[in-house]
């Protein structure tokens, strides 16, 4: 691991940064989530998770529940379930309905085999020790229970990575600037089956490819700006690069009518 990647990993997993800055409220998370409204095909992720829980009864815990997007859907569609939301950031739990607790996946405040299903959706890359986090999730799930995880591919949103490097290069006057930080790289769709397979005998990966098409730079800029909590990790003037990216996207849309981003995320359904 290079010194730079080690620093990025430390930043992505820093509990203080996550709880007090990155997820102190839901503004930045909501900005990243909202970009997908311009994606085709559209995927109803909360609906897909709900469907995979169709045979589950009893208690379901959403670890790293964030702003409660999945819990809200489950409360609507599966009122029979006993739901619990956990997150390390108290500020983001304010509007999550029902039972919530501040907790870290590294040490869950749950008994062994005490839940019938666990959700770990776009969050395991924030665990300092991913293997330990998976063991802890495995510990709390019953022997016949499910774990549903999600993350993005190493190839996800490559156009945004290229846009960032071009904008950073323009600001720095270097032609091509440093890469932006990647949150999901530590637990990408390509790496996830290895980690999950250490504890679960069957891991089904459901890939969700799509193309985001925007005709206004706003959603792209909001997505890029949502990484403000890691601005110090980019080795560039963060705000200036975001604004330069806006100009680049505006110019691209003026010439081509739209700006396209190719996405690849996925859900991983795990059982014993």
């Amino acid at each position: 691991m290079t010194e730079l990647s080690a620093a990025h990993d430390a930043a992505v997993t820093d509990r203080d940064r996550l709880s007090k800055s990155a997820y102190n409220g839901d503004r930045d998370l909501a900005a990243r989530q909202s970009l997908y409204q311009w994606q085709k095909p559209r995927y109803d992720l909360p609906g897909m998770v709900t469907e995979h829980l169709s045979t589950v009864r009893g208690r379901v815990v959403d670890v790293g529940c964030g702003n409660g997007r999945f819990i809200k859907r489950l409360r609507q569609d599966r009122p029979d379930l006993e739901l619990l939301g956990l997150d390390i950031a108290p500020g983001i739990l304010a509007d999550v309905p029902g039972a919530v607790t501040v907790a870290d996946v590294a040490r869950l405040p749950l008994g062994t085999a005490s839940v019938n299903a666990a959700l770990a959706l776009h969050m395991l890359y924030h665990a300092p020790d991913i293997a330990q986090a998976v063991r802890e999730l495995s510990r709390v799930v019953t022997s016949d229970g499910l774990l549903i995880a999600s993350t993005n591919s190493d190839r996800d949103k490559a156009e945004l990575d290229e846009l960032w490097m071009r904008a950073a290069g323009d600001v720095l006057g270097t032609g091509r600037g440093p890469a932006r930080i990647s949150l999901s790289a530590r637990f990408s769709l390509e790496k996830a089956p290895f980690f999950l397979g250490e504890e679960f005998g069957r891991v089904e990966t459901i890939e969700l490819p799509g193309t985001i098409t925007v005709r206004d730079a706003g959603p792209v800029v909001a997505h890029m700006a949502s990484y403000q909590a890691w601005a110090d990790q980019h080795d560039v003037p963060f705000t200036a690069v975001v604004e330069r990216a806006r100009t680049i996207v505006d110019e691209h849309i003026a010439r081509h009518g739209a700006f396209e981003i190719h996405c690849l995320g996925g859900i991983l359904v795990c059982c014993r």
Side-chain angles (χ1 to χ4, degrees):
M1 180 182 292
T2 67
E3 185 177 340
L4 180 60
S5 62
H8 282 193
D9 283 1
V12 169
T13 60
D14 181 82
R15 313 329 265 165
D16 214 43
R17 187 188 302 254
L18 294 173
S19 62
K20 296 180 181 178
S21 179
Y23 299 106
N24 187 43
D26 81 334
R27 183 193 62 185
D28 290 340
L29 176 59
R32 292 196 286 278
Q33 291 171 338
S34 67
L35 186 62
Y36 292 96
Q37 66 185 288
W38 288 277
Q39 176 178 295
K40 290 186 178 179
R42 290 286 298 274
Y43 298 104
D44 177 10
L45 290 181
M48 292 177 71
V49 169
T50 300
E51 184 179 344
H52 282 288
L53 294 174
S54 61
T55 62
V56 171
R57 301 291 181 270
R59 196 179 196 196
V60 175
V61 61
D62 186 350
V63 181
C65 67
N67 54 14
R69 180 183 177 202
F70 293 88
I71 284 181
K72 290 170 184 174
R73 181 62 170 271
L74 283 168
R75 288 204 175 280
Q76 172 187 309
D77 293 357
R78 291 293 309 278
D80 58 300
L81 293 174
E82 179 189 349
L83 299 172
L84 173 63
L86 304 180
D87 204 283
I88 64 168
I92 208 167
L93 292 172
D95 295 321
V96 180
V100 295
T101 300
V102 177
D104 195 320
V105 68
R107 188 174 183 180
L108 296 172
L110 299 167
T112 298
S114 63
V115 302
N116 303 94
L119 309 180
L121 304 169
H122 278 78
M123 56 73 64
L124 276 168
Y125 38 74
H126 287 311
D129 185 335
I130 295 173
Q132 165 59 23
V134 173
R135 287 194 294 271
E136 186 68 350
L137 288 163
S138 175
R139 179 186 68 80
V140 303
V141 174
T142 58
S143 60
D144 60 347
L146 288 178
L147 169 65
I148 303 178
S150 66
T151 188
N152 292 326
S153 165
D154 289 326
R155 307 189 304 278
D156 180 63
K157 301 184 190 70
E159 292 86 357
L160 292 189
D161 295 330
E162 182 61 34
L163 173 63
W164 180 269
M165 287 187 285
R166 179 182 167 191
D170 287 353
V171 169
L172 296 174
T174 58
R176 187 176 173 84
R180 67 181 188 140
I181 196 168
S182 170
L183 298 185
S184 57
R186 301 177 64 249
F187 183 78
S188 65
L189 205 57
E190 291 78 10
K191 298 182 180 78
F194 168 77
F195 286 109
L196 298 168
E198 291 293 300
E199 292 292 325
F200 295 89
R202 186 160 66 94
V203 178
E204 178 190 4
T205 301
I206 303 166
E207 293 190 352
L208 304 172
T211 302
I212 291 170
T213 304
V214 296
R215 292 176 171 80
D216 176 84
V220 173
V221 172
H223 185 278
M224 286 189 152
S226 74
Y227 287 79
Q228 176 69 45
W230 293 279
D232 63 312
Q233 295 297 308
H234 291 83
D235 300 317
V236 294
F238 184 82
T239 301
V241 172
V242 171
E243 286 308 307
R244 177 57 188 155
R246 181 196 300 274
T247 300
I248 293 170
V249 174
D250 279 338
E251 291 172 351
H252 182 96
I253 292 172
R255 287 194 305 271
H256 303 285
F259 184 80
E260 289 190 346
I261 304 162
H262 293 88
C263 304
L264 180 56
I267 293 175
L268 301 107
V269 182
C270 316
C271 58
R272 308 291 182 187

